[in-house]
Amino acid sequence: MVGKRKGKIIKRRVKFKGKWRIKKTVVVKDEGVSPLVKKYWVQRYDLFLRYDQGIKMDEEGWFSVTPEKIALRHASRCGGGVVIDGFAGVGGNAIQFATMCHHVIAIDIDPRKIALAFENAKIYGVEDHIEFIVGDFFQLAPSLKGNVVFLSPPWGGPAYSTKESFTLDLLKPKNGYSLFQVAQSVAPNIIMYLPRNVDLLQVEELAWLSSPPLKVEIEENMLHGMLKSITAYFGDIAFSDVSMF
């Protein structure tokens, strides 16, 4: 792979506005809320605007689901067609892809998460636009074809933020390079949702090590004035900017 010419790279910062909705007295009784995730409780309306209508999350969902405004941003960039969410979790991204009239294939290896994602999708009225599959993305990949693959694999829990630089080998269940190669066999466009401290040089490397090199756009997702996460867009969607944010 030495000597390959780098693809075109663009970087931008996107700010998402929002207000904290905090009551003076809050009694935390919801299923899935443990001492580990109580600090995420204040963010519940960032995660799902319709939280009070019956949204349910398991413990991992509290710290792994994509905030709704960021998920909507991802959906707005896809341009239609079939979107495959390889690590759907409790459905945050799949729901927003479906609200933008995409056909969504939502995959997760955990049947409990798929059940929660289905119930959450019903709250948004998009359950009929999502095909829910319990399974391993890597095993299912040879039978999958779509326009976009969305990848938000586990980051290893909240401890990811303690690392000075989050390298792609820390992604679970396989490293980011292996994951990206599999995704390329499924769709020509890839969106990766990554920690805010991810090694950006490694993310760019995914694009120019491809054959041929891919266009890549790296986006900083700002929420409440703070850097929340990084989104990388690979392929033709890398320059499909929208003006809704």
Side-chain angles (χ1 to χ4, degrees):
M1 295 183 179
V2 177
K4 284 184 180 286
R5 187 169 55 187
K6 293 186 178 181
K8 189 173 181 182
I9 298 171
I10 186 171
K11 299 180 182 179
R12 65 161 54 90
R13 175 175 293 180
V14 177
K15 297 181 180 180
F16 300 90
K17 297 179 180 180
K19 296 182 179 179
W20 297 110
R21 295 172 61 182
I22 308 174
K23 295 180 180 180
K24 292 183 179 179
T25 303
V26 176
V27 179
V28 180
K29 293 183 179 180
D30 280 45
E31 179 183 357
V33 179
S34 70
L36 176 64
V37 297
K38 278 185 179 178
K39 69 175 183 177
Y40 298 97
W41 174 256
V42 72
Q43 302 175 37
R44 59 196 182 280
Y45 300 111
D46 283 338
L47 304 181
F48 288 98
L49 187 61
R50 301 185 186 183
Y51 180 84
D52 287 340
Q53 296 181 34
I55 292 293
K56 296 294 182 183
M57 290 181 277
D58 61 359
E59 182 171 284
E60 185 178 3
W62 278 95
F63 56 77
S64 64
V65 68
T66 305
E68 185 167 312
K69 287 187 176 181
I70 299 177
L72 182 58
R73 167 72 174 180
H74 296 157
S76 71
R77 299 293 301 273
C78 289
V82 177
V83 179
I84 298 169
D85 187 345
F87 303 87
V90 297
N93 278 97
I95 289 168
Q96 295 307 316
F97 285 129
T99 62
M100 299 294 288
C101 300
H102 303 288
H103 176 68
V104 184
I105 300 174
I107 301 166
D108 203 282
I109 200 168
D110 184 349
R112 169 66 171 162
K113 286 183 172 58
I114 288 293
L116 292 171
F118 176 72
E119 293 301 321
N120 291 338
K122 287 168 64 177
I123 291 172
Y124 284 79
V126 296
E127 70 276 14
D128 291 338
H129 298 281
I130 305 173
E131 181 180 351
F132 296 94
I133 299 176
V134 177
D136 185 327
F137 172 70
F138 296 98
Q139 293 183 6
L140 293 170
S143 64
L144 297 172
K145 288 298 176 184
N147 301 94
V148 179
V149 174
F150 176 76
L151 302 173
S152 181
W155 300 347
Y160 80 87
S161 61
T162 64
K163 301 182 183 300
E164 182 176 350
S165 178
F166 187 97
T167 54
L168 294 180
D169 62 291
L170 296 175
L171 292 174
K172 306 295 181 181
K174 294 186 179 182
N175 69 74
Y177 295 98
S178 297
L179 177 60
F180 193 80
Q181 287 183 333
V182 172
Q184 284 185 292
S185 70
V186 175
N189 298 290
I190 299 169
I191 302 175
M192 294 186 76
Y193 187 60
L194 299 163
R196 59 179 177 267
N197 55 338
V198 70
D199 186 327
L200 294 180
L201 291 178
Q202 288 191 343
V203 177
E204 293 175 10
E205 189 177 42
L206 292 174
W208 61 264
L209 286 180
S210 300
S211 181
L214 296 175
K215 294 180 290 186
V216 58
E217 176 185 344
I218 296 175
E219 189 171 81
E220 292 183 335
N221 304 128
M222 307 292 294
L223 190 63
H224 302 294
M226 297 178 289
L227 179 60
K228 180 70 176 178
S229 54
I230 297 291
T231 302
Y233 302 89
F234 299 90
D236 289 340
I237 60 171
F239 303 100
S240 59
D241 192 21
V242 291
S243 58
M244 64 183 296
F245 297 97

